[in-house]
Amino acid sequence: MRSTLKTLIAVGIASLALAPVAFAQAQKIAYVDYQRLLSESPQAKSATTTLEAEFGPKQKQLEAQSKEFEAKKQKFERDQATMAEGERTKAQRELRDQQLTIERRVKEFQEDGQMRQNEELQRVQKMIVESVRGYAKAQGYDLVIAQGVIYNSDSVDITIQVLANLQTKAASAAPAAAPSAPAAAPTPKK
């Protein structure tokens, strides 16, 4: 009887010790490198290209205006000693007004760029999250971790699979988007 009791206690302790292991094995957990997806996905690269195309010309225009202003400022500094008082005052006022105009345009440009960058980032982040969720559901994962991971083995890293999924989505979306591009309405000039 005593040996039966010891056997039951031993089996009970062993089952309690193995319960967490069995539970952990039953859970399917994965890791995804979110920053890598955000930088390498075709959707993120497309968003970057879109923003560069949208804001590149305005940036070049502002840079040209800044160079023109600097040239005028240097000319003024060089010639101010030989200018009449009224002419010098007028030139200083024009330089100040031009500088304020350029600073205002640069600030507006930066605000517009930041707002559009945030819009594109949110759109790309939404696509990535949807892709991770879709992949995780299709593969039967119980938990997918993205941020705050100190260590993960390659066996739980699904970044490459999700990235491939995003690339497939981008490839299938590209032919559908191409015919609609020429039909876009022209942007009204202000």
Side-chain angles (χ1 to χ4, degrees):
M1 172 118 175
R2 195 169 186 115
S3 66
T4 310
L5 185 60
K6 285 183 182 180
T7 305
L8 285 174
I9 292 175
V11 169
I13 292 173
S15 66
L16 287 176
L18 294 176
V21 173
F23 178 74
Q25 289 175 348
Q27 299 297 309
K28 194 168 179 185
I29 298 173
Y31 164 78
V32 67
D33 185 345
Y34 188 77
Q35 291 303 318
R36 181 175 174 194
L37 293 175
L38 201 54
S39 65
E40 293 181 18
S41 70
Q43 292 83 352
K45 290 177 182 178
S46 174
T48 300
T49 303
T50 300
L51 290 172
E52 287 172 356
E54 187 175 333
F55 288 96
K58 181 73 173 179
Q59 182 176 5
K60 288 179 182 175
Q61 180 185 24
L62 287 172
E63 289 170 356
Q65 289 174 354
S66 292
K67 286 181 182 178
E68 179 185 325
F69 169 75
E70 287 301 320
K72 282 184 179 179
K73 184 177 173 184
Q74 288 175 358
K75 183 180 183 320
F76 170 76
E77 289 173 357
R78 189 176 56 240
D79 296 344
Q80 74 175 337
T82 60
M83 294 176 148
E85 182 66 32
E87 186 181 4
R88 183 175 38 246
T89 303
K90 181 182 174 190
Q92 285 174 328
R93 190 174 298 126
E94 287 175 359
L95 283 172
R96 185 191 69 230
D97 290 347
Q98 188 176 9
Q99 181 178 12
L100 291 173
T101 300
I102 290 171
E103 287 173 356
R104 180 179 42 81
R105 288 179 181 165
V106 166
K107 183 178 179 184
E108 289 171 359
F109 172 77
Q110 290 172 338
E111 289 171 355
D112 290 346
Q114 187 67 41
M115 188 171 68
R116 280 289 293 127
Q117 185 176 6
N118 287 340
E119 289 170 2
E120 288 295 317
L121 179 63
Q122 287 176 352
R123 186 182 63 78
V124 170
Q125 286 176 331
K126 183 179 177 185
M127 280 187 227
I128 289 172
V129 168
E130 288 173 357
S131 186
V132 170
R133 284 182 179 160
Y135 182 83
K137 284 180 183 178
Q139 299 300 317
Y141 284 99
D142 298 307
L143 177 67
V144 177
I145 301 170
Q147 307 301 56
V149 174
I150 295 174
Y151 171 77
N152 66 283
S153 71
D154 291 339
S155 65
V156 296
D157 191 345
I158 61 170
T159 305
I160 293 171
Q161 294 86 344
V162 173
L163 190 56
N165 196 4
L166 286 165
Q167 290 168 342
T168 302
K169 285 181 182 179
S172 64
S180 65
T187 306
K189 293 184 180 179
K190 293 182 182 179

